[in-house]
Amino acid sequence: MALDVELVKKDFPILDQLVHGHRIVYLDSASSSQKPAAVLDAMQQLYETTYANVHRGVYSIAEESTRLYEEARTKVAAFLGAASTREVIFTKNVTEAINLVAYSWGRSNLGPGDAVLLTEMEHHANLVPWLQLKAERGIELRYLGVDGDGQLILDDLEQLVAGVKLVGLTLVSNVLGTLNPVAEVARVAHAAGALVLVDGAQYTPHFTTRVAELGCDFYGFTAHKMLGPTGIGCLWARESLLEAMPIFLGGGEMIRDVRLDGFTANELPWKFEAGTPPIAEAVGLGAAIDYLLAVGMADVRAHEIELTRYAMESLHERHGDDIRIFGPPDAEKRGGVLSFAYKDIHPHDISQVLDEVGVCVRAGHHCAKPLMRRLGVGATARASLYLYNDEADVDALSSALTSADRLFS
Amino acid sequence: MPGLEDLYREIILDHYRNPRNRGELPTPPAVRVEGFNPLCGDEIVVFLDVADDRVQDLRIGGQGCSISQSSASMMSAAVKGKTVAEARATIRAFKSLMSIHEQRLDGADDDGAGAGAGGPSVPEPEVKLGDLEALQGVVRFPVRIKCATLSWNTLAQGLDEAQETSATPS
């Protein structure tokens, strides 16, 4: 059954308002998505009825709070197809998930001359933690290149992966929308003895995620891009890996025992969750998963393909050579992330003029400066689509571009 | 709510479409300074020829949005031929024009008199900003203030470097 966008829109209170007198057209979900009432209500309900710290109190609301927090973990485990909740570590976001791997696994497994293979299209979150290790430990960083269509160049994969200890890559580019063949890369990487870390920030909100089928060893995603709140994300990793890894942040919650001369770490997954966790946020994430599953991830993705195709076709049809959309031309092979250049108007100016008619798009380097250099641009404008967007939203963007043209040409 | 006409005044669009003093100068004698806006990736290059305590010539390179480019263009016209002290006073006056929002956030009052809403709260005496006042509308779009001030911060750095260079005996 196809997704009914009219019904979906009604679930998002923020979409029912005017900006500068115009209906809000939110096209920046790749940056952060909006939240349905179900998520807001679940968090509000917790705070109003059963909120207390988790894993501490024995009184009833503390038990209920703990139950809800751990229930969210169970929902995440099922949503990812994880083997057990012990593999699901709550983090602040994907950035923290990758930093956890770089600090804990990286600092106990990588030394001078050890190599990590990344790609040119990584978000800064999957570059800087490894650049830190390069500066600190002298590890070697290698990169898979990107071709003119925004696809990874995999011709040299076998040579590049030789001797590498970890391959880190994004599943969907936050700039190009490219859907990377992670399972294929993972097969080659594993054959060469490397582990595989996948940044799922732009994938999990839009696709059915099955970590086993992806063949990765580490996987990160964040709640706020998939209808959930900010402040909570997740690192999934195989249990045997997590068991062998040293702790990351130290403090309460992550310990079994603390003496004045030492400590014993808690068991998984709490071993990696120091301090009071984001409790209401976990509940909100659980509610977001429930919402997405009720809509159906297959329908979410089908809608994305259909709307992405409409956007690419209609923008090209109306604006011809004035618009250049980066990334793969085939909607089936990409996410709904549309970075574009329009005439020679700077993305900031495009975004500013679009705002005048309520159209929200991102302008900038999208935390991917090496990729911007590769594309030969300082910045791009980026419209990104989600389940609450429809053809009218794309049309509003397209018309607003014509206004920008009138102002600056 | 501020409208686009507050931001994109005709004179701003004119400087954007026809930037003044665009290009390069040989270094030395000119100094070359780069400024970056890490938020948007804009970059500006200022070539600055300072001799006899005066901005003899300057040229602007780099790429950016209409606000950063027009601000740089207007800046180049405003300080070319001025003494270093005059150029610095113009920088102060312009940055004060751009800081209205921050001052309001700080709760600072503009003595209850003179400059009203949208006006410069700390006027720099003796400095006539002229066309540059067209950029005043930018303060109503806080995210864009950094676009407008990028070239000015770069110029300030360039003046420092030029003066250090001339102070060092060769």
Side-chain angles (χ1 to χ4, degrees):
Chain A
M1 196 182 69
L3 188 147
D4 185 339
V5 184
E6 277 311 303
L7 274 180
V8 168
K9 272 186 194 283
K10 288 193 173 71
D11 292 334
F12 291 78
I14 204 170
L15 299 181
D16 184 26
Q17 64 173 323
L18 301 179
V19 173
H20 304 294
H22 295 265
R23 176 179 72 87
I24 190 168
V25 174
Y26 189 75
L27 295 171
D28 197 19
S29 298
S31 184
S32 198
S33 72
Q34 298 299 346
K35 327 299 174 197
V39 167
L40 306 176
D41 292 348
M43 296 175 73
Q44 181 84 359
Q45 167 93 2
L46 174 84
Y47 279 128
E48 288 182 353
T49 60
T50 57
Y51 176 77
N53 211 331
V54 294
H55 304 135
R56 286 160 178 80
V58 292
Y59 46 90
S60 51
I61 62 168
E63 282 201 359
E64 181 60 7
S65 198
T66 304
R67 188 187 70 75
L68 289 168
Y69 177 70
E70 291 302 329
E71 182 183 75
R73 195 189 310 275
T74 306
K75 288 178 182 177
V76 169
F79 197 61
L80 298 178
S84 129
T85 52
R86 293 165 59 83
E87 298 178 336
V88 175
I89 315 291
F90 282 135
T91 60
K92 189 165 67 179
N93 43 36
V94 180
T95 300
E96 190 183 272
I98 296 173
N99 273 275
L100 192 164
V101 176
Y103 275 86
S104 172
W105 180 86
R107 280 164 178 75
S108 51
N109 286 281
L110 299 175
D114 284 333
V116 168
L117 176 63
L118 304 168
T119 83
E120 278 186 344
M121 66 167 81
E122 294 311 302
H123 187 283
H124 294 165
N126 200 21
L127 290 171
V128 179
W130 308 110
L131 287 166
Q132 285 176 272
L133 272 173
K134 177 176 188 275
E136 210 177 282
R137 293 266 171 116
I139 69 165
E140 179 199 345
L141 295 183
R142 302 177 191 172
Y143 296 95
L144 287 167
V146 177
D147 72 16
D149 267 353
Q151 304 278 7
L152 285 181
I153 301 167
L154 297 174
D155 303 347
D156 305 331
L157 177 60
E158 285 185 29
Q159 292 97 294
L160 280 169
V161 90
V164 156
K165 287 204 164 172
L166 179 94
V167 177
L169 77 166
T170 186
L171 202 33
V172 172
S173 162
N174 69 314
V175 176
L176 303 165
T178 316
L179 178 57
N180 286 324
V182 163
E184 184 188 332
V185 173
R187 258 194 311 277
V188 178
H190 285 154
L195 294 178
V196 177
L197 174 146
V198 171
D199 172 356
Q202 302 290 347
Y203 180 85
T204 290
H206 306 269
F207 292 76
T208 300
T209 306
R210 283 291 167 264
V211 284
E213 289 167 26
L214 292 169
C216 58
D217 303 285
F218 299 105
Y219 187 88
F221 78 90
T222 192
H224 74 93
K225 293 189 202 292
M226 51 176 280
L227 314 182
T230 54
I232 190 161
C234 165
L235 170 70
W236 170 88
R238 283 190 290 107
E239 189 172 334
S240 54
L241 271 171
L242 290 170
E243 283 291 1
M245 280 159 57
I247 58 127
F248 173 39
L249 299 175
E253 185 89 1
M254 51 67 69
I255 45 82
R256 184 173 292 155
D257 185 30
V258 180
R259 302 163 305 279
L260 288 178
D261 63 350
F263 72 93
T264 311
N266 203 340
E267 61 182 309
L268 287 173
W270 306 289
K271 168 183 168 182
F272 291 107
E273 294 179 6
T276 294
I279 302 163
E281 288 75 8
V283 170
L285 168 57
I289 289 174
D290 290 343
Y291 183 93
L292 284 169
L293 290 174
V295 174
M297 292 311 290
D299 283 354
V300 170
R301 174 59 184 153
H303 174 68
E304 181 177 62
I305 293 174
E306 205 176 302
L307 194 56
T308 301
R309 186 179 293 129
Y310 174 78
M312 296 178 86
E313 284 174 4
S314 64
L315 287 167
H316 279 135
E317 195 173 309
R318 177 163 181 167
H319 300 288
D321 290 342
D322 290 342
I323 196 165
R324 176 184 171 205
I325 300 173
F326 298 97
D330 183 352
E332 306 260 356
K333 291 181 182 161
R334 52 145 55 238
V337 177
L338 300 163
S339 281
F340 60 91
Y342 180 70
K343 294 198 141 180
D344 56 354
I345 306 176
H346 192 279
H348 260 180
D349 292 318
I350 291 175
S351 182
Q352 192 87 58
V353 174
L354 264 49
D355 173 64
E356 186 78 354
V357 289
V359 177
C360 314
V361 301
R362 173 88 180 265
H365 54 62
H366 316 296
C367 298
K369 289 196 82 170
L371 179 59
M372 291 288 121
R373 290 194 188 98
R374 172 72 183 73
L375 297 173
V377 293
T380 70
R382 182 186 71 182
S384 50
L385 310 167
Y386 208 3
L387 75 174
Y388 38 65
N389 293 122
D390 55 16
E391 293 185 359
D393 293 345
V394 172
D395 294 343
L397 164 70
S398 196
S399 305
L401 285 176
T402 306
S403 325
D405 184 27
R406 274 200 293 272
L407 185 62
F408 291 104
S409 297
Chain B
M1 207 173 271
L4 278 186
E5 65 282 1
D6 294 311
L7 187 64
Y8 296 123
R9 305 260 173 89
E10 197 44 52
I11 182 115
I12 293 176
L13 292 173
D14 176 59
H15 275 267
Y16 171 58
R17 295 186 189 114
N18 311 294
R20 327 291 200 261
N21 300 303
R22 186 94 192 149
E24 300 184 1
L25 290 175
T27 51
V31 294
R32 178 185 187 278
V33 255
E34 288 180 357
F36 294 96
N37 182 344
L39 291 176
C40 60
D42 281 4
E43 56 185 70
I44 203 110
V45 187
V46 175
F47 293 88
L48 190 61
D49 184 359
V50 175
D52 303 328
D53 221 25
R54 193 171 283 277
V55 179
Q56 304 291 348
D57 202 358
L58 83 169
R59 289 285 188 279
I60 307 289
Q63 43 135 3
C65 66
S66 61
I67 300 301
S68 76
Q69 294 298 293
S70 61
S71 183
S73 171
M74 288 193 230
M75 175 189 82
S76 72
V79 302
K80 192 168 167 177
K82 295 273 171 62
T83 65
V84 170
E86 286 166 341
R88 288 194 191 277
T90 309
I91 295 173
R92 278 197 302 278
F94 182 76
K95 291 189 71 172
S96 132
L97 184 75
M98 287 295 114
S99 62
I100 293 160
H101 184 72
E102 285 166 39
Q103 282 166 4
R104 287 222 185 109
L105 285 181
D106 292 343
D109 206 67
D110 26 67
D111 300 332
S121 53
V122 190
E124 182 79 15
E126 314 298 321
V127 175
K128 293 237 180 344
L129 284 173
D131 285 357
L132 284 163
E133 285 182 7
L135 282 162
Q136 196 172 293
V138 173
V139 294
R140 299 185 189 176
F141 300 82
V143 181
R144 305 302 293 277
I145 292 176
K146 280 192 161 54
C147 310
T149 54
L150 177 64
S151 56
W152 295 81
N153 291 330
T154 312
L155 173 65
Q157 192 191 331
L159 288 172
D160 290 346
E161 286 185 22
Q163 288 195 306
E164 276 167 29
T165 310
S166 62
T168 314
S170 51

